[in-house]
Amino acid sequence: MSFTSKVYKKFKELYGDEPIIVRSPGRVNLIGEHTDYNNGFVLPAAVNKSVYAGISKRDDDTIVLYAAEFDKHFTANLHALAPSKERWPDYILGVADQLQKQGFILSGFNMVLDGNVPIGAGMSSSAAVECATAKALSELFSLDLSRIAIVKAAQSAEHNFAGVKCGIMDMFASVFGKKGQVIRLDCRSLEYAYFPLDLQGYEIVL
């Protein structure tokens, strides 16, 4: 069963509603470790492992989350958002918090998260969750966020809610990645260009 089908099935089971489902990939970086948060150049690429988020509106101000990988539920109030002791909800709540601080109007929502980006393996599972959340909220509430706005909202969530002063590379690669391409990104100006990557039988090992 695909992850889209798994998220849909679990969403219907938990909430009995029709979800919007979005996908955000993890990433690998080939050149430029630690230079992204020092405003240097990096050469990342999106990978074929992703986070999937299903979302629907609620009629109140409650946020109800379910993480399939942990088999855990979490509930919060949209107008009283704060970092949690469980940590994993922070990457979702932080994005909602940042969007509200930017003046976007949200209401409560239900969400199911699943995927196959390995946690703690250097493939930016947290950035994939944040970007998926920003895209899902943009679709659900018709916010019309641009790709770069999604990237910046995700980075702000990481800085101000999760407490990690990361660079912008992880989120940028997740949102701007293209199949068969690497991205040369200037993390200072955010100028970027795509270059084809044909490994011809070689593999990247993390």
Side-chain angles (χ1 to χ4, degrees):
M1 183 184 295
S2 69
F3 279 101
T4 299
S5 298
K6 287 173 64 178
V7 168
Y8 181 86
K9 181 179 179 181
K10 192 65 179 180
F11 202 97
K12 293 288 285 186
E13 176 189 320
L14 291 176
Y15 309 122
D17 202 358
E18 288 288 329
I20 294 171
I21 299 177
V22 303
R23 177 184 69 88
S24 187
R27 67 104 186 102
V28 64
N29 187 43
L30 302 182
I31 300 174
E33 291 303 303
H34 305 295
T35 58
D36 64 329
Y37 48 82
N38 289 302
N39 292 326
F41 286 90
V42 290
L43 193 72
V47 298
N48 63 350
K49 297 181 184 298
S50 299
V51 166
Y52 295 77
I55 193 169
S56 70
K57 287 182 184 179
R58 293 178 59 89
D59 296 328
D60 54 22
D61 294 326
T62 303
I63 296 173
V64 181
L65 308 176
Y66 174 74
E69 188 161 0
F70 306 130
D71 190 24
K72 287 188 175 181
H73 301 263
F74 189 85
T75 302
N77 185 282
L78 184 66
H79 302 300
L81 296 177
S84 69
K85 293 180 180 179
E86 296 191 46
R87 294 293 292 164
W88 68 265
D90 295 352
Y91 302 106
I92 305 157
L93 303 179
V95 173
D97 179 65
Q98 290 304 306
L99 291 178
Q100 288 190 112
K101 286 178 177 176
Q102 292 177 29
F104 292 105
I105 305 300
L106 310 179
S107 68
F109 57 88
N110 300 316
M111 180 178 281
V112 168
L113 278 177
D114 203 353
N116 59 353
V117 182
I119 296 172
M123 298 179 74
S124 300
S125 58
S126 61
V129 170
E130 289 157 345
C131 292
T133 300
K135 178 63 174 176
L137 292 173
S138 179
E139 293 292 322
L140 185 64
F141 296 107
S142 300
L143 306 182
D144 197 27
L145 295 179
S146 66
R147 288 194 295 171
I148 197 62
I150 289 172
V151 168
K152 290 182 176 180
Q155 185 190 32
S156 293
E158 190 97 24
H159 284 187
N160 301 310
F161 217 86
V164 179
K165 299 298 183 182
C166 63
I168 204 165
M169 171 183 69
D170 298 351
M171 298 80 180
F172 198 97
S174 185
V175 173
F176 283 84
K178 286 185 177 181
K179 186 175 181 179
Q181 306 281 318
V182 294
I183 309 169
R184 186 190 65 195
L185 171 65
D186 182 341
C187 294
R188 179 172 54 184
S189 67
L190 299 186
E191 293 180 355
Y192 66 97
Y194 293 102
F195 294 90
L197 179 66
D198 185 357
L199 295 175
Q200 295 183 349
Y202 289 92
E203 293 181 349
I204 298 168
V205 178
L206 295 177

